[in-house]
C-alpha cells in the first residue's frame, strides 16, 4: 500500500509546546502507513519502549545554592561549535513526510544552529541537500557491497559539504518491521532514495532495489543484495583514509566495541537503531556509563534512542555523552510544518534542556556529572 504525500501543515495548535504535541499533530496529517513506518520498531517493539523507559527509571539530584545565574549549552564537535548538545540523527525518506523533504530538514536545523545527519536513503541527492544546507551536516553511510559506489558516496558527501561520515554498523540485516508488513508498506515515488539510483537502471526505491528489508523487495533471504553484511573494523579505517573526514561508528552499545573504536580514533555513536532492528536489544542509556569509562574521552560519544524531554538530554550528558541525537521527534515537526516544524521541535527541546540545567545548578555542560543522576526508586 502506497501512502499519498502528506499535507504541508497540521491544523493550528496554539499550545504545541512539547515533542509529544508534535507527535500528536503529525499523526493527524500523515497517512496511517507513513506514520507507522516512522513510529514502528522491530517485532514486539520492546526495545522502542525500553529506550524511553531507561530515562524514566533515572532521577535527577539537583545541586542548590550554586550561585548560577545563567547556563551555557554550547558544545564543540570535530572543531564545529554548536549552540546546543542536540543533533539530528539520520532518518530515511523525508519525502514521505513533507514535499520539500531533506531540504526542509536542513533549513530547519540550520535556523537553530543544529547539526543534521543525512541518511544514505535520503529522498533528495546529496548535492541537493548540500545546496540547501546553511548549517553543519554529516553523512550517514550504509556500506555497499560495491565498494567503488561506497567510496563514491563518501566523496560526493564531502564535496557537498558533509563534515563527518557516520557509518551504520548495527544493520547487517534489517529487523522484522511488523507494522510495515501488515500494512503492505512500500516506498512511494516521493520517498524513494535518490543517492543509489543507477543511470539506465532501476532506482534504489524500485521493486528491485528498495530500502533494505522493505516490503516489496524481490530479493530472497534476509540479506539485501546491495548492503554489505560483512563490514569490519578495517573498513572504517579505510573510509577514514579515503574520505579525509572524521568517522563515527553508529550502533555501538557494548563497552568493548566502544574501546576498540576509541583506540582506532573512531567516534562512538550509541544506538540500537531506534528499536527498529533487534528487538530486546539494550537501551543505549543502560550501558552509557560503562561505554564512557571505556572511551575515556578519547573520541566523542553520541547517544540516541528515546529522548523526549530536556531532562532526558541532561541525564545522557551527565552519564557521559557529548551530545544526544533525536530522530522521530524532528520528523514529527517536519510533517507538521516543514522547516519551521523542525526548528520548533529543536527549540522546544533546547528550552527544556536550558531549564533543566538551571534547576540542576549546572551552569554549563561540563558541570553535568554522574552524581546528578540516581535511580528513581
Amino acid at each position: 500500500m502506497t501512502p499519498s504525500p502528506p499535507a504541508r501543515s497540521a491544523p493550528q495548535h496554539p499550545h504545541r509546546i512539547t515533542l509529544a504535541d508534535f507527535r500528536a499533530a503529525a499523526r493527524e496529517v500523515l497517512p496511517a502507513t507513513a506514520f507507522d513506518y516512522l513510529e514502528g520498531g522491530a517485532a514486539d517493539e520492546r526495545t522502542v519502549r525500553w529506550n524511553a523507559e531507561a530515562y524514566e527509571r533515572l532521577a535527577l539530584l539537583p545541586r542548590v545554592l550554586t550561585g548560577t545565574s545563567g547556563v551555557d549549552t554550547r558544545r564543540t564537535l570535530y572543531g564545529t561549535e554548536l549552540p546546543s548538545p542536540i543533533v539530528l540523527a539520520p532518518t530515511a525518506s523525508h519525502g514521505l513526510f513533507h514535499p520539500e523533504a531533506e531540504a526542509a530538514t536542513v533549513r530547519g536545523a540550520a535556523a537553530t544552529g543544529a547539526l543534521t545527519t543525512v541518511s544514505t536513503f535520503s529522498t533528495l541527492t546529496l548535492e541537493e541537500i548540500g545546496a540547501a544546507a546553511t548549517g553543519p551536516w554529516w553523512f550517514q553511510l550504509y556500506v555497499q557491497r560495491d565498494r567503488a559506489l561506497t567510496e563514491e558516496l563518501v566523496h560526493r558527501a564531502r564535496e557537498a559539504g558533509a563534515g563527518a561520515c557516520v557509518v551504520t554498523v548495527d544493520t547487517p540485516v534489517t529487523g522484522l518491521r511488523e507494522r510495515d508488513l501488515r500494512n503492505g508498506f512500500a516506498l512511494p515515488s516521493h520517498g524513494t532514495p535518490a543517492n543509489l539510483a543507477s543511470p539506465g537502471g532501476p532506482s534504489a526505491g524500485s521493486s528491485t532495489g528498495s530500502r533494505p528489508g522493505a516490503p516489496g523487495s524481490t530479493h530472497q533471504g534476509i540479506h539485501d543484495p546491495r548492503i554489505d553484511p560483512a563490514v569490519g573494523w578495517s573498513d572504517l579505517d579505510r573510509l577514514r583514509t579515503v574520505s579525509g573526514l572524521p568517522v563515527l561508528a553508529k550502533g555501538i552499545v557494548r563497552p568493548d566495541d566502544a574501546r576498540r573504536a576509541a583506540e582506532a580514533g573512531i567516534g562512538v555513536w550509541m544506538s540500537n537503531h531506534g528499536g527498529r532492528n533487534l528487538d530486546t536489544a539494550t537501551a543505549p542509556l543502560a550501558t552509557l556509563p560503562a561505554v564512557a569509562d571505556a572511551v575515556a574521552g578519547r573520541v566523542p560519544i553520541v547517544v540516541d534512542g528515546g529522548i523526549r524531554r530536556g531532562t532526558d538530554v541532561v541525564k545522557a550528558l551527565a552519564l557521559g555523552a557529548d551530545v544526544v541525537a533525536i530522530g522521530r521527534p524532528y520528523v514529527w515537526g517536519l510533517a507538521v510544518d516543514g522547516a519551521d516544524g523542525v526548528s520548533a521541535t529543536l527549540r522546544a527541546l533546547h528550552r527544556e534542556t536550558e531549564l533543566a540545567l538551571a534547576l540542576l545548578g549546572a551552569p554549563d555542560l561540563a558541570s553535568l556529572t554522574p552524581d546528578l543522576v540516581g535511580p528513581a526508586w
Side-chain angles (χ1 to χ4, degrees), residues 7 19 31 97 101 106 108 120 194 219 244 321 335 377:
L19 297 187
F97 309 108
V106 293
T120 294
H219 64 269
W377 56 81

Side-chain angles (χ1 to χ4, degrees), residues 22 35 47 68 94 100 113 125 131 174 184 243 256 263 279 297 317 331 341 356 359:
F22 283 94
F35 186 79
T47 292
T68 301
H94 290 192
E100 296 178 14
T125 65
T174 304
S243 70
D256 53 353
E263 290 170 350
D279 198 25
L317 297 178
V331 181
L359 291 167

